[in-house]
Amino acid sequence: MCGIFGIISNKPSLRGDLATLTRFAQQRGRDSSGLMFLRGKNYMVHKADYGISRLLTETRPYDTPVVMGHSRLITNGLGDNQPVVRDGLCVLHNGIVVNHSEIWDTLSKTREMEIDTEVIPAIAAEYLENSGDVEGVAEAVMSRCKGVVACALAVPSLGKLCLF
């Protein structure tokens, strides 16, 4: 079980709201954590092998209009953490992709991590390279993944965020 959360606003994130979301997400998992936030024109990604409350205190992403976070209970893959960044995409995922090994056999992308979540941005990147249509990304991922997939997929190059 994991917790994913985020704030996207015209104003910089409110510290209290972010602290509340973090506290609730941490109830879903304390093994590791990750944050992605906008700092200036760049997305910053921070990962840790400890709880999200501590990571929030260390990174202090309070002056940004975009913050997404992940609090993880390790269920599959011990060597990696989220957010998963590959091919210019960033994914925060709650769930488990039980057929990730089989999916890798069908992709032109090469697996680089142990975590099952990595297959989500790989599918999305391959789909975007072939179609260029961000609106079909969720269907491309969901039609191939078995198990539980609830995620936020950021496509910074297009200024898009897909939630599914």
PDB file of all heavy atoms in Angstrom, residues 23 48 58 86 107 155 164:
ATOM      1  N   ARG A  23       0.838  13.933   6.036  1.00  0.00           N
ATOM      2  CA  ARG A  23       0.490  13.119   7.205  1.00  0.00           C
ATOM      3  C   ARG A  23      -0.448  11.975   6.819  1.00  0.00           C
ATOM      4  O   ARG A  23      -0.251  10.832   7.234  1.00  0.00           O
ATOM      5  CB  ARG A  23      -0.146  14.003   8.287  1.00  0.00           C
ATOM      6  CG  ARG A  23      -0.353  13.288   9.601  1.00  0.00           C
ATOM      7  CD  ARG A  23      -0.850  14.201  10.710  1.00  0.00           C
ATOM      8  NE  ARG A  23      -2.145  14.798  10.413  1.00  0.00           N
ATOM      9  CZ  ARG A  23      -2.349  16.079  10.091  1.00  0.00           C
ATOM     10  NH1 ARG A  23      -1.336  16.918  10.040  1.00  0.00           N
ATOM     11  NH2 ARG A  23      -3.545  16.540   9.855  1.00  0.00           N
ATOM     12  N   ALA A  48      13.852   9.210  -0.747  1.00  0.00           N
ATOM     13  CA  ALA A  48      14.462   8.878   0.537  1.00  0.00           C
ATOM     14  C   ALA A  48      14.021   7.491   0.990  1.00  0.00           C
ATOM     15  O   ALA A  48      12.951   7.019   0.613  1.00  0.00           O
ATOM     16  CB  ALA A  48      14.055   9.917   1.580  1.00  0.00           C
ATOM     17  N   GLU A  58      12.976  18.312   5.087  1.00  0.00           N
ATOM     18  CA  GLU A  58      14.309  18.526   4.517  1.00  0.00           C
ATOM     19  C   GLU A  58      14.280  19.317   3.217  1.00  0.00           C
ATOM     20  O   GLU A  58      15.160  20.144   2.970  1.00  0.00           O
ATOM     21  CB  GLU A  58      14.998  17.182   4.280  1.00  0.00           C
ATOM     22  CG  GLU A  58      15.378  16.474   5.541  1.00  0.00           C
ATOM     23  CD  GLU A  58      15.958  15.097   5.306  1.00  0.00           C
ATOM     24  OE1 GLU A  58      16.069  14.659   4.129  1.00  0.00           O
ATOM     25  OE2 GLU A  58      16.307  14.439   6.298  1.00  0.00           O
ATOM     26  N   ARG A  86      11.924   8.536 -16.063  1.00  0.00           N
ATOM     27  CA  ARG A  86      12.595   7.945 -17.219  1.00  0.00           C
ATOM     28  C   ARG A  86      11.972   8.518 -18.484  1.00  0.00           C
ATOM     29  O   ARG A  86      10.798   8.843 -18.507  1.00  0.00           O
ATOM     30  CB  ARG A  86      12.571   6.419 -17.198  1.00  0.00           C
ATOM     31  CG  ARG A  86      11.283   5.762 -17.560  1.00  0.00           C
ATOM     32  CD  ARG A  86      11.409   4.265 -17.867  1.00  0.00           C
ATOM     33  NE  ARG A  86      11.995   4.068 -19.165  1.00  0.00           N
ATOM     34  CZ  ARG A  86      12.822   3.070 -19.478  1.00  0.00           C
ATOM     35  NH1 ARG A  86      13.150   2.168 -18.591  1.00  0.00           N
ATOM     36  NH2 ARG A  86      13.304   2.959 -20.688  1.00  0.00           N
ATOM     37  N   LEU A 107       8.072  -4.293 -25.109  1.00  0.00           N
ATOM     38  CA  LEU A 107       8.452  -2.892 -25.301  1.00  0.00           C
ATOM     39  C   LEU A 107       9.796  -2.762 -26.012  1.00  0.00           C
ATOM     40  O   LEU A 107      10.656  -3.638 -25.895  1.00  0.00           O
ATOM     41  CB  LEU A 107       8.542  -2.173 -23.946  1.00  0.00           C
ATOM     42  CG  LEU A 107       7.240  -2.000 -23.170  1.00  0.00           C
ATOM     43  CD1 LEU A 107       7.524  -1.435 -21.780  1.00  0.00           C
ATOM     44  CD2 LEU A 107       6.277  -1.094 -23.921  1.00  0.00           C
ATOM     45  N   VAL A 155       4.248  14.984 -17.654  1.00  0.00           N
ATOM     46  CA  VAL A 155       4.927  15.107 -18.949  1.00  0.00           C
ATOM     47  C   VAL A 155       5.408  16.552 -19.036  1.00  0.00           C
ATOM     48  O   VAL A 155       4.780  17.394 -19.683  1.00  0.00           O
ATOM     49  CB  VAL A 155       3.979  14.752 -20.123  1.00  0.00           C
ATOM     50  CG1 VAL A 155       4.744  14.716 -21.440  1.00  0.00           C
ATOM     51  CG2 VAL A 155       3.244  13.444 -19.874  1.00  0.00           C
ATOM     52  N   PHE A 164      -4.670   8.927 -13.484  1.00  0.00           N
ATOM     53  CA  PHE A 164      -5.550   7.786 -13.790  1.00  0.00           C
ATOM     54  C   PHE A 164      -5.324   6.678 -12.789  1.00  0.00           C
ATOM     55  O   PHE A 164      -4.374   6.664 -12.044  1.00  0.00           O
ATOM     56  CB  PHE A 164      -5.334   7.290 -15.223  1.00  0.00           C
ATOM     57  CG  PHE A 164      -3.919   6.955 -15.596  1.00  0.00           C
ATOM     58  CD1 PHE A 164      -3.450   5.665 -15.467  1.00  0.00           C
ATOM     59  CD2 PHE A 164      -3.059   7.936 -16.092  1.00  0.00           C
ATOM     60  CE1 PHE A 164      -2.143   5.345 -15.837  1.00  0.00           C
ATOM     61  CE2 PHE A 164      -1.757   7.610 -16.469  1.00  0.00           C
ATOM     62  CZ  PHE A 164      -1.304   6.322 -16.329  1.00  0.00           C
TER      63      PHE A 164
END
